[in-house]
Amino acid sequence: QITLKESGPTLVTPTQTLTLTCTFSGFSLTTSGVGVNWIRQPPGKALEWLALIYWDDDKRYSPSLKSRLTIAKDTSKNQVVLAMTKMDPVDTATYYCAHEDNSSSSGVDVWGPGTTVTVYS
Amino acid sequence: QSILTQPPSVSEAPRQRVAISCSGSSSNVGNNAVNWYRQFPGKAPKLVIFYNDLLPSGVSDRFSGSKSGTSAFLAISGIQSEDEAYYYCAAWDDIVNGWVFGGGTRLTVL
């Protein structure tokens, strides 16, 4: 059974760097085709894809946020970390990490419960 | 402003059928598979349709998906009050080089 869980600060101040950790089980990020995404959702708004890291360390970023994002994996700990610099109140959102497996063509299939981050000025 | 376009809301009476549309372009829906997610308030999205029309294990067969050109559709038959939720479509975008989502559709069961 695949599970993911996000962790990190619930409150950050503007201009700070946000660091979130996704801890997962039930799959390995060394398996061909596997990836972990970060997706966020501001209160009352739609889902927004942020970043993706694949088993081979290939990384993809949302073009509008690319300059502020860094994604990395630690396969020994079964973790993926997302860093977002220069936080602003508009970045207040629930942040999700989610599994994907290209070999099964299921796309983004299993999501973590999410972690809420408030940028408070 | 989401890249994929969905109606903000749809409503239908219990036991009826409803369809939700998702309109994109050749770089996303037109050229790649579409997934659909259901989301209850305060909860994470859950996959209900993948690869345009495939049903994940454990998802009710009242859900079905289809795609034609740059538009995709999610249909729910025999609507129940438990189906009241937000529904999002998603697809890989070859220009963004990442996933794009629709703005979400709120389903109300009358």
Side-chain angles (χ1 to χ4, degrees), chain A residues 81-96:
Chain A
V81 176
L82 180 76
M84 179 181 290
T85 62
K86 302 176 185 176
M87 292 294 285
D88 182 273
V90 300
D91 297 314
T92 293
T94 297
Y95 287 76
Y96 298 99

Side-chain angles (χ1 to χ4, degrees), chain A residues 28-92:
Chain A
S28 173
L29 246 186
T30 62
T31 302
S32 177
V34 173
V36 171
N37 293 270
W38 282 96
I39 297 156
R40 71 178 179 180
Q41 186 173 36
K45 296 189 176 181
L47 300 163
E48 178 185 20
W49 176 78
L50 301 176
L52 162 63
I53 188 164
Y54 286 114
W55 85 101
D56 60 356
D57 212 38
D58 184 13
K59 299 165 187 172
R60 311 290 174 92
Y61 295 101
S62 166
S64 62
L65 293 167
K66 184 174 182 177
S67 64
R68 299 174 54 205
L69 296 174
T70 303
I71 192 170
K73 60 182 173 68
D74 185 334
T75 54
S76 66
K77 294 182 179 179
N78 279 355
Q79 291 182 334
V80 171
V81 176
L82 180 76
M84 179 181 290
T85 62
K86 302 176 185 176
M87 292 294 285
D88 182 273
V90 300
D91 297 314
T92 293

Side-chain angles (χ1 to χ4, degrees), chain B residues 46-70:
Chain B
K46 177 188 173 184
L47 183 68
V48 293
I49 291 288
F50 70 97
Y51 207 77
N52 304 322
D53 57 9
L54 299 182
L55 209 60
S57 173
V59 173
S60 170
D61 60 4
R62 296 186 298 105
F63 289 85
S64 62
S66 63
K67 191 175 85 167
S68 178
T70 58

Side-chain angles (χ1 to χ4, degrees), chain A residues 93-112:
Chain A
T94 297
Y95 287 76
Y96 298 99
C97 62
H99 166 273
E100 77 169 81
D101 186 351
N102 289 341
S103 63
S104 69
S105 300
S106 58
V108 179
D109 53 5
V110 182
W111 300 58

